[in-house]
Amino acid sequence: MIRLQDIRKVNDYEWEIPATYRSDMRASVRLFVTRRLLEASLEDLSLEQAINAATLPGVVDPVVVMPDMHQGYGFPIGGVAATRVSDGVVSPGAIGYDINCGVRLLASQIPYEQALPYLDNLASALNRYCPSGVGTEGEYRLSHEELDQVCRLGARWALKRGLASEEDLRRTEEGGCLEGADPNKVSHKAKERGRTQLGTLGAGNHFLEVDVIEQIFDPEAAQAMGLQEGNLALLIHCGSRGFGHQICTDYVQDLQSAVKKYGIHLPDRELVCAPINSPEGRDYLAAMRAAANYAFCNRQLLAHAARRAFEEVFAGKVRNWHLHQVYDIAHNMGKIETHIVNGKPLKVCVHRKGATRAFGPGFPELPEEYRHLGQPVLVPGSMGTASWVLIGTETSMQRSWGSTCHGAGRVLSRHKAKKEIRGERLRDELEKRGIHVRAGSMSGLAEEAPQAYKDVDEVVETVAGAGIARKVARLRPVAVIKG
């Protein structure tokens, strides 16, 4: 097992495991952490998993790990790895089971003080309009043909039905639709799971949260995003539901034979992979993109439902109840991107698992109003703690494959959290602090207690200190809806 003395300190926010640490490593591991967070990370296998990822065929130096890292399936949550498209591999475990789990931020012109008498009604309305919980079915029961359209069109499927605006899509990563999705590469079992779950929140760490914009750090960026101190905002955190989970499950199994076929030697079979340019690799990427598009559409439908709830509660009570979209960003995704490596452009597959794309100023695909600033980054905290709006930087392009953190990062397993925390007591504590809670189960609530996670403020201070993101605004929760 790796020890602290094996890791080289670069500065207060950056450390390195050299490629010489283990003979099979093809790249170094760059860690964006404070010493305290680094010492805590030695308690699980996240660093060992990052070292294992540095052995993948075609991996490009460095593998990057964020301060919210914790142990995942084969690859650490909070990890980023880029592999050459020409001779590298794609690994489902390095992208994650909940493909395109991500965050959408909507903002309002509703002052918190004006909304205060209606927040309990708002929590109930959001809970009613946005179904949540394990296996929950929503109001959209799709035929197989309709599901295939969602896989190909993503959020554009919602636009065609009047459930989205062009601005929503413009302010969504990839315009809410990844090219190259192929529903024919998705199993029947995955489609059956996905057919009835569109427009639902799910369970686990997924939530819908009403926040008050507590503090602005970058007035220019906040103005461009329509964020005003003291006003309400809404965060939606969810992904591709059982559809994406089943796709990952299928390909983790299917690619075991590809590892043998192509003579790939792995230190951990959970890193199962296939060459990007092989039939198996292309099939996985096509199915992954289908799940990503499903997730973009899912968050769009939840945004539409949330707007209905805001209208029901605030129409006639406030002057402007409208929710405008700030941005929608993925944090479990594999993307083909071109990055500058050793002074030359290189096409790579960037695996981000529990890490957020954070492109800097000038990126042409950003909405015009954000292009000179950089890409918005949304960092949800644990329930009852702050969430953050950040912005990508030029440094993130140079040091971290245009990536930054995605959240707080677990310190307690779900099983341990349920043993140590009572859901009823937690709900009462949150309510006493003025946070209106709607939860599908008390055990599910306990799993996601604030003490089960790292301090999101410390995580954000770390990425800001490292220069791989810049602070824009801090949000404080006033209502939380969980499955």
Side-chain angles (χ1 to χ4, degrees):
M1 293 286 286
I2 193 162
R3 302 161 302 168
L4 190 62
Q5 53 263 45
D6 298 319
I7 306 169
R8 183 177 73 86
K9 182 177 179 179
V10 177
N11 57 50
D12 287 346
Y13 302 106
E14 187 178 328
W15 300 66
E16 184 188 66
I17 302 170
T20 53
Y21 169 72
R22 219 169 71 188
S23 61
D24 57 346
M25 289 173 71
R26 292 178 164 103
S28 62
V29 177
R30 181 173 294 159
L31 310 164
F32 290 104
V33 284
T34 58
R35 184 185 181 95
R36 199 190 76 78
L37 288 170
L38 178 60
E39 287 174 349
S41 73
L42 293 169
E43 295 176 12
D44 69 13
L45 294 175
S46 51
L47 294 184
E48 294 293 331
Q49 291 183 329
I51 292 163
N52 289 342
T55 72
L56 286 170
V59 70
V60 185
D61 194 73
V63 169
V64 173
V65 183
M66 299 299 166
D68 48 337
M69 74 172 114
H70 54 288
Q71 185 177 330
Y73 181 87
F75 188 89
I77 296 161
V80 183
T83 52
R84 288 185 298 271
V85 168
S86 57
D87 64 342
V89 296
V90 62
S91 173
I95 288 164
Y97 274 86
D98 190 4
I99 296 163
N100 188 5
C101 184
V103 189
R104 179 171 296 218
L105 175 64
L106 307 170
S108 82
Q109 300 303 309
I110 305 171
Y112 169 64
E113 295 301 329
Q114 210 173 330
L116 198 52
Y118 311 109
L119 286 178
D120 199 60
N121 288 344
L122 180 61
S124 295
L126 287 167
N127 193 43
R128 192 168 67 251
Y129 279 112
C130 303
S132 63
V134 177
T136 302
E137 296 183 351
E139 65 176 282
Y140 304 96
R141 293 173 182 272
L142 307 178
S143 67
H144 286 290
E145 292 75 20
E146 287 172 322
L147 179 59
D148 286 356
Q149 287 176 5
V150 169
C151 291
R152 291 192 174 97
L153 296 174
R156 292 213 161 270
W157 184 88
L159 181 71
K160 284 174 174 284
R161 282 155 182 78
L163 307 171
S165 69
E166 285 287 358
E167 185 185 71
D168 291 343
L169 270 61
R170 206 166 50 78
R171 291 186 170 193
T172 300
E173 182 178 346
E174 299 293 336
C177 179
L178 279 177
E179 296 296 323
D182 186 352
N184 294 319
K185 304 302 180 184
V186 176
S187 71
H188 177 75
K189 186 174 182 180
K191 289 182 178 182
E192 282 302 304
R193 292 184 70 179
R195 217 161 50 80
T196 59
Q197 291 189 342
L198 199 63
T200 66
L201 197 58
N205 64 346
H206 296 158
F207 64 78
L208 197 148
E209 182 178 276
V210 181
D211 295 285
V212 59
I213 301 163
E214 189 174 63
Q215 193 174 0
I216 299 291
F217 294 84
D218 187 324
E220 183 190 5
Q223 186 176 7
M225 297 177 192
L227 301 176
Q228 192 172 324
E229 207 166 285
N231 284 353
L232 294 189
L234 182 86
L235 273 176
I236 300 168
H237 177 210
C238 69
S240 49
R241 303 289 281 109
F243 183 64
H245 195 284
Q246 189 62 49
I247 287 170
C248 185
T249 300
D250 292 339
Y251 278 92
V252 162
Q253 185 62 45
D254 293 350
L255 296 189
Q256 299 292 345
S257 58
V259 170
K260 295 173 187 168
K261 176 180 174 182
Y262 297 104
I264 299 168
H265 300 285
L266 297 172
D268 182 352
R269 69 190 298 272
E270 290 183 358
L271 272 176
V272 61
C273 58
I276 292 166
N277 286 321
S278 68
E280 297 89 344
R282 287 193 292 268
D283 285 356
Y284 167 70
L285 283 169
M288 183 216 71
R289 289 167 184 145
N293 288 343
Y294 182 99
F296 281 134
C297 190
N298 192 37
R299 289 196 292 275
Q300 181 61 55
L301 295 176
L302 286 166
H304 175 73
R307 285 168 171 153
R308 288 165 64 194
F310 265 67
E311 180 179 18
E312 179 181 296
V313 173
F314 290 119
K317 299 182 181 74
V318 301
R319 189 166 49 185
N320 181 5
W321 53 263
H322 179 67
L323 289 169
H324 72 267
Q325 181 148 318
V326 176
Y327 207 62
D328 181 295
I329 192 79
H331 53 231
N332 274 10
M333 192 88 95
K335 302 278 286 290
I336 305 300
E337 298 171 358
T338 299
H339 287 262
I340 303 300
V341 178
N342 298 325
K344 295 178 181 176
L346 181 68
K347 191 179 272 192
V348 290
C349 179
V350 182
H351 302 68
R352 295 185 181 94
K353 179 181 178 181
T356 307
R357 195 185 74 174
F359 281 6
F363 180 55
E365 289 180 32
L366 286 176
E368 188 179 344
E369 60 270 31
Y370 298 155
R371 207 167 294 151
H372 67 292
L373 296 165
Q375 176 213 297
V377 173
L378 311 173
V379 183
S382 54
M383 181 178 48
T385 66
S387 294
W388 285 83
V389 182
L390 311 177
I391 212 157
T393 64
E394 189 53 47
T395 302
S396 68
M397 302 305 293
Q398 298 164 357
R399 305 289 297 161
S400 60
W401 300 109
S403 310
T404 195
C405 64
H406 89 301
R410 292 195 81 92
V411 289
L412 292 181
S413 69
R414 289 191 166 88
H415 177 71
K416 199 168 183 184
K418 279 197 287 191
K419 280 185 73 176
E420 294 185 10
I421 301 156
R422 285 189 60 82
E424 293 84 355
R425 186 179 299 168
L426 173 62
R427 181 190 57 197
D428 292 345
E429 287 171 5
L430 293 170
E431 296 272 359
K432 280 176 188 171
R433 287 165 47 198
I435 301 171
H436 301 265
V437 179
R438 299 291 182 273
S441 73
M442 290 300 104
S443 62
L445 195 67
E447 287 179 5
E448 301 305 316
Q451 51 267 54
Y453 285 84
K454 298 176 186 180
D455 178 354
V456 70
D457 291 341
E458 184 178 5
V459 168
V460 167
E461 287 295 339
T462 303
V463 296
I468 59 170
R470 200 170 80 240
K471 295 180 193 175
V472 175
R474 187 178 190 268
L475 315 180
R476 175 174 60 84
V478 294
V480 178
I481 287 82
K482 294 194 67 66

